[in-house]
Amino acid sequence: MTEEPTATAADLNQFRASFYLLLSKSFSRELDRDTLKSIDKALEALIEAFDLLEIPPEENFQTGKKILRAFFEQTRHEDDTDVIAELARCYASLFLGVGSRTVSPCESIYRGEARRLFQSSHFEAQQAYREIGMAKSEGYHEPDDHIAVELGYMARLCELTQEAVEVSRERQAHYLTLQKEFLEKHLLSWIPDFSRDLLESTQSPLYQGMAHLLNGYIKADNQLIKSMIQDI
């Protein structure tokens, strides 16, 4: 017989899933008007929720939060057509190879030999996705170790952990362990370098804020996962 799930455990995993999805969406493609507005709304709500849950603060996370709050406060008073056009230019310049200082959003470039795509990390990520029955959208053609896909995988694991709260501690521990392993083997091994390169390559407050937020969040979340495993 399983113990009754606590609201805190279920809520925490839902918040974490939502945060990973927000990060994934931010890096998946050029932002359109609706996506930008949804990020603005979701970011503030999620940050407030994390504050209420007393998740330990991390310096980069706090820096990113301040930058993004200032960015969204300013853009609410600007022509959103101009804002979207500028963000599209930034995305193309940074991630699509049309600028002088591009940043690869793929793990293989950072961890593979000779900075090439489709190295071992790409196939390791594919295998991890298959093990939980996750597949990319057919319309999304980026490599499987693209940052948006890896963050989407973490979001899915958080969802599965939330569902497991109502099943057993063993299932919760299983999915939390998968999260810990993927964070430590993949995200934490290249995201800090990716974030550094992003900060050095752009003056866009949105992408500077996201670089800080992402780097800080994965570090804080790794500690949180360890704590959750210990509690189980």
Side-chain angles (χ1 to χ4, degrees):
M1 184 173 180
T2 61
E3 295 182 11
E4 288 296 317
T6 64
T8 300
D11 290 345
L12 181 55
N13 285 307
Q14 181 57 55
F15 288 137
R16 294 177 58 241
S18 297
F19 215 98
Y20 274 113
L21 284 174
L22 181 147
L23 292 168
S24 175
K25 185 181 294 187
S26 299
F27 290 104
S28 64
R29 54 175 55 89
E30 300 96 326
L31 299 178
D32 58 26
R33 184 177 289 102
D34 290 341
T35 302
L36 186 65
K37 288 182 178 179
S38 70
I39 290 174
D40 180 11
K41 183 177 180 180
L43 181 66
E44 194 62 32
L46 289 168
I47 286 174
E48 289 180 2
F50 274 61
D51 288 343
L52 289 172
L53 289 167
E54 298 183 346
I55 293 175
E58 199 282 337
E59 184 177 357
N60 276 295
F61 185 89
Q62 298 297 100
T63 300
K65 180 171 70 174
K66 292 177 183 177
I67 294 172
L68 289 168
R69 278 177 165 165
F71 167 77
F72 283 115
E73 177 61 31
Q74 178 179 344
T75 57
R76 292 186 194 108
H77 306 291
E78 297 179 357
D79 186 327
D80 57 3
T81 301
D82 293 338
V83 173
I84 294 299
E86 177 58 27
L87 290 176
R89 285 192 291 270
C90 286
Y91 190 93
S93 177
L94 286 168
F95 306 122
L96 301 182
V98 301
S100 60
R101 299 197 67 179
T102 61
V103 181
S104 174
C106 296
E107 182 181 356
S108 289
I109 295 296
Y110 284 89
R111 295 187 59 214
E113 296 179 2
R115 292 182 65 88
R116 287 165 29 195
L117 292 172
F118 304 109
Q119 301 299 298
S120 60
S121 59
H122 173 268
F123 300 104
E124 290 167 1
Q126 277 187 331
Q127 180 61 30
Y129 306 157
R130 281 196 292 267
E131 288 177 358
I132 65 166
M134 181 184 120
K136 285 189 310 182
S137 168
E138 291 184 2
Y140 196 67
H141 303 297
E142 298 294 344
D144 282 1
D145 62 347
H146 189 282
I147 187 172
V149 186
E150 292 194 347
L151 293 168
Y153 169 73
M154 287 296 297
R156 181 57 185 147
L157 286 179
C158 292
E159 292 171 349
L160 291 171
T161 307
Q162 180 193 19
E163 295 169 7
V165 170
E166 299 181 0
V167 179
S168 70
R169 287 179 175 268
E170 289 76 14
R171 294 302 290 172
Q172 290 180 68
H174 170 68
Y175 289 122
L176 286 167
T177 299
L178 290 181
Q179 292 172 47
K180 177 177 177 293
E181 291 174 350
F182 194 82
L183 264 174
E184 293 179 348
K185 185 174 183 179
H186 292 277
L187 293 178
L188 286 168
S189 70
W190 74 282
I191 292 300
D193 290 336
F194 166 81
S195 298
R196 177 205 63 213
D197 289 349
L198 187 53
L199 288 168
E200 292 176 352
S201 300
T202 184
Q203 296 300 312
S204 164
L206 175 72
Y207 288 110
Q208 286 198 337
M210 292 307 301
H212 280 294
L213 196 77
L214 170 66
N215 193 25
Y217 179 66
I218 62 170
K219 292 175 182 177
D221 196 49
N222 190 45
Q223 296 304 313
L224 179 60
I225 291 169
K226 292 177 182 178
S227 176
M228 294 169 73
I229 292 173
Q230 288 182 340
D231 288 344
I232 291 174

